[in-house]
Amino acid sequence: MAKRGRPAGVDSAETRQRIIDAARTIFSVRGYDGASVLKIAESAGLAPSAIYNHYENKETLYMAVFEETADAIWGSVSSATEEKTLVEAFDHLIKSSRRVSEDFPAYSDFLSYLPLEARFHPEFKKLMQRRAEFQDATFGSLAALGTSTGELPELHEYELKEVIRSLVMGWFFERHFRGAEIPGSGEIIIKFIKTVCSDANGALDNNEDGS
């Protein structure tokens, strides 16, 4: 039986992290409705009272898990925006996403189920807005890179952002729900971006030569 309260010699920050990590795994496996504070506490090696010392209820705990998980995931892939070209950025993003999924599968699983949870729990619709903000920050930066380098001159920045969103999130969800990545699919996306950028630049060069 778990001891009541926080274990001796463990500080508040460490206890909070244990709760978040345990909750992320339980929510990912059982879903929001199937998860219980008792089960999360058992997984964390704590008493339920320790969780209530940090979070008002299961809803606020779920929201806290989302914020930490989304920040970690998008923080790990947003470094792709520091590359010099859109092609290089896509290569970076695909590789970073793979590493996160392989090293921290519960993170990807948790975020993948959020749209479904939000359908059945209106209180989580605001998390969908936060999800969009995380996406917009990364995909918007990639689109700005692609337009500033002239790699895709025919698309406005907003249009390019939505193309990137569709490519990346489609690849992410297909990989998640299949339980494995379609072999070579990431490389195909990179090849597609490289080809489109090359064709666009070739057409631009031809127009300049003919002018």
Side-chain angles (χ1 to χ4, degrees), residues 84-88 145-147 149-153 196-198 200-201:
K84 294 181 179 180
T85 69
L86 183 61
V87 172
E88 293 172 350
L145 174 63
T147 53
T149 59
E151 290 171 275
L152 290 171
V196 172
C197 290
S198 176
N201 289 329

Side-chain angles (χ1 to χ4, degrees), residues 107-125:
Y107 285 62
S108 296
D109 290 345
F110 178 86
L111 292 181
S112 294
Y113 289 120
L114 174 62
L116 184 62
E117 298 289 7
R119 286 183 60 189
F120 294 103
H121 299 279
E123 63 270 28
F124 295 145
K125 286 185 178 179

Side-chain angles (χ1 to χ4, degrees), residues 40-206:
I40 292 169
E42 290 176 351
S43 180
L46 301 167
S49 59
I51 293 180
Y52 290 117
N53 285 339
H54 294 276
Y55 303 99
E56 182 179 356
N57 49 40
K58 188 171 74 168
E59 178 184 332
T60 57
L61 174 56
Y62 186 90
M63 292 180 177
V65 172
F66 167 80
E67 286 295 335
E68 179 173 298
T69 304
D71 188 62
I73 288 284
W74 289 102
S76 68
V77 301
S78 63
S79 57
T81 62
E82 299 172 6
E83 298 292 348
K84 294 181 179 180
T85 69
L86 183 61
V87 172
E88 293 172 350
F90 254 89
D91 183 74
H92 184 133
L93 187 148
I94 294 293
K95 291 176 179 176
S96 296
S97 179
R98 280 176 175 156
R99 282 196 298 270
V100 171
S101 294
E102 291 169 1
D103 295 343
F104 306 101
Y107 285 62
S108 296
D109 290 345
F110 178 86
L111 292 181
S112 294
Y113 289 120
L114 174 62
L116 184 62
E117 298 289 7
R119 286 183 60 189
F120 294 103
H121 299 279
E123 63 270 28
F124 295 145
K125 286 185 178 179
K126 55 186 150 185
L127 298 185
M128 290 298 291
Q129 178 58 40
R130 288 287 292 134
R131 173 180 180 267
E133 290 170 2
F134 277 107
Q135 289 184 11
D136 287 345
T138 297
F139 300 150
S141 294
L142 291 175
L145 174 63
T147 53
S148 68
T149 59
E151 290 171 275
L152 290 171
E154 298 300 321
L155 291 177
H156 293 294
E157 189 172 312
Y158 171 79
E159 295 172 327
L160 182 53
K161 180 181 73 172
E162 295 311 312
V163 169
I164 293 171
R165 191 196 309 273
S166 298
L167 283 172
V168 174
M169 298 310 298
W171 175 71
F172 171 80
F173 277 107
E174 189 67 15
R175 181 182 60 184
H176 170 76
F177 288 114
R178 282 174 175 263
E181 182 180 342
I182 298 174
S185 58
E187 285 67 32
I188 292 171
I189 291 176
I190 296 169
K191 181 179 180 180
F192 170 75
I193 293 295
K194 186 180 297 185
T195 300
V196 172
C197 290
S198 176
D199 288 348
N201 289 329
L204 184 62
D205 289 341
N206 289 335

Side-chain angles (χ1 to χ4, degrees), residues 4-37:
R4 308 300 295 177
R6 190 170 73 234
V10 178
D11 64 25
S12 180
E14 182 178 341
T15 299
R16 185 185 297 271
Q17 192 61 54
R18 285 171 62 179
I19 294 170
I20 290 288
D21 291 341
R24 182 188 295 111
T25 299
I26 298 299
F27 285 137
S28 298
V29 173
R30 294 172 173 257
Y32 181 76
D33 289 330
S36 67
V37 171

